[in-house]
Amino acid sequence: GENVEQHPSTLSVQEGDSAVIKCTYSDSASNYFPWYKQELGKGPQLIIDIRSNVGEKKDQRIAVTLNKTAKHFSLHITETQPEDSAVYFCAPRRGSTLGRLYFGRGTQLTVWP
Amino acid sequence: DTAVSQTPKYLVTQMGNDKSIKCEQNLGHDTMYWYKQDSKKFLKIMFSYNNKELIINETVPNRFSPKSPDKAHLNLHINSLELGDSAVYFCASSQGLGTSGIYNEQFFGPGTRLTVL
């Protein structure tokens, strides 16, 4: 499967600060780049995604940026709130993976009030 | 009206036993998956079914046998449980495979925490 690396593995920020998580992938044929959020005791949930023909996408306080040349994409969360505390996973993929997601190892984000 | 549901939520059992986990989705999706999440939160695909047919088996031991009686259900039976099987198992579903389904969101169930003693 795809080699996916996520950094940092843990991230602590003060409420109101910004948080950035980076995902690096190896498969140059990847063309879809989602981010999933997993709250404690729950399953992962898609929060934002981007396709390969787009460089940036925003949805209120979250955004994703893509650098296809360098093969990495990042999740940006602004004005963080305690409810943003969760584990975040990237899962880059291409069409031939028959639906399966290859997740990064996750980033534990903690937002302190 | 839960989209993807799993039962049970917790399962504690002895080594060597056989157990099953059930999954149901009411989203009308044609593809269902099982993922395993270990104690370090690493999520790994195990199986994928499309229209009740096995599509992917990610080198999972044959002690694990998924069964899909219909498109809305994907159950996981595990024989001769081992300590290393302790994990959280997630069922997920989505619509479409390959290039037709690449952009379709996968919806995950709440997980089943399996503890093997």
Side-chain angles (χ1 to χ4, degrees), chain B residues 29-93:
Chain B
H29 290 162
D30 61 3
T31 307
M32 296 184 73
Y33 313 83
W34 279 109
Y35 289 86
K36 178 181 180 180
Q37 186 171 47
D38 64 21
S39 58
K40 295 186 177 173
K41 299 285 189 182
F42 182 48
L43 265 166
K44 191 172 183 332
I45 181 75
M46 298 174 69
F47 299 103
S48 167
Y49 269 72
N50 177 255
N51 287 315
K52 304 192 299 175
E53 299 296 322
L54 177 67
I55 301 298
I56 297 166
N57 177 340
E58 286 278 320
T59 60
V60 178
N62 57 16
R63 296 184 297 105
F64 291 78
S65 50
K67 278 193 173 51
S68 183
D70 55 59
K71 284 199 304 183
H73 296 84
L74 180 62
N75 304 322
L76 184 64
H77 187 75
I78 316 170
N79 290 326
S80 305
L81 277 155
E82 301 177 356
L83 293 176
D85 297 331
S86 294
V88 181
Y89 292 84
F90 287 99
C91 176
S93 74

Side-chain angles (χ1 to χ4, degrees), chain A residues 38-88:
Chain A
Q38 185 179 21
E39 296 177 352
L40 195 61
K42 297 184 177 179
Q45 183 176 14
L46 179 71
I47 55 169
I48 196 166
D49 57 13
I50 196 169
R51 303 185 186 188
S52 61
N53 58 349
V54 178
E56 180 175 358
K57 182 177 176 181
K58 282 187 79 169
D59 182 3
Q60 300 183 342
R61 295 187 299 107
I62 59 173
V64 54
T65 58
L66 171 65
N67 185 328
K68 276 215 82 178
T69 305
K71 291 191 277 188
H72 64 74
F73 61 113
S74 297
L75 175 69
H76 305 255
I77 307 174
T78 58
E79 300 169 38
T80 52
Q81 300 167 3
E83 50 265 38
D84 295 329
S85 297
V87 181
Y88 291 83

Side-chain angles (χ1 to χ4, degrees), chain A:
Chain A
E2 165 117 61
N3 187 19
V4 180
E5 291 188 6
Q6 236 181 281
H7 295 282
S9 56
T10 60
L11 181 57
S12 290
V13 299
Q14 205 72 34
E15 184 177 1
D17 287 350
S18 294
V20 181
I21 304 169
K22 184 176 177 180
C23 182
T24 304
Y25 59 94
S26 60
D27 186 352
S28 56
S30 294
N31 54 3
Y32 175 60
F33 307 92
W35 283 96
Y36 282 77
K37 176 184 180 182
Q38 185 179 21
E39 296 177 352
L40 195 61
K42 297 184 177 179
Q45 183 176 14
L46 179 71
I47 55 169
I48 196 166
D49 57 13
I50 196 169
R51 303 185 186 188
S52 61
N53 58 349
V54 178
E56 180 175 358
K57 182 177 176 181
K58 282 187 79 169
D59 182 3
Q60 300 183 342
R61 295 187 299 107
I62 59 173
V64 54
T65 58
L66 171 65
N67 185 328
K68 276 215 82 178
T69 305
K71 291 191 277 188
H72 64 74
F73 61 113
S74 297
L75 175 69
H76 305 255
I77 307 174
T78 58
E79 300 169 38
T80 52
Q81 300 167 3
E83 50 265 38
D84 295 329
S85 297
V87 181
Y88 291 83
F89 294 95
C90 63
R93 61 192 275 205
R94 56 169 157 157
S96 60
T97 56
L98 297 176
R100 75 198 112 177
L101 292 173
Y102 291 106
F103 287 94
R105 288 202 166 257
T107 297
Q108 173 69 61
L109 173 64
T110 304
V111 181
W112 300 101

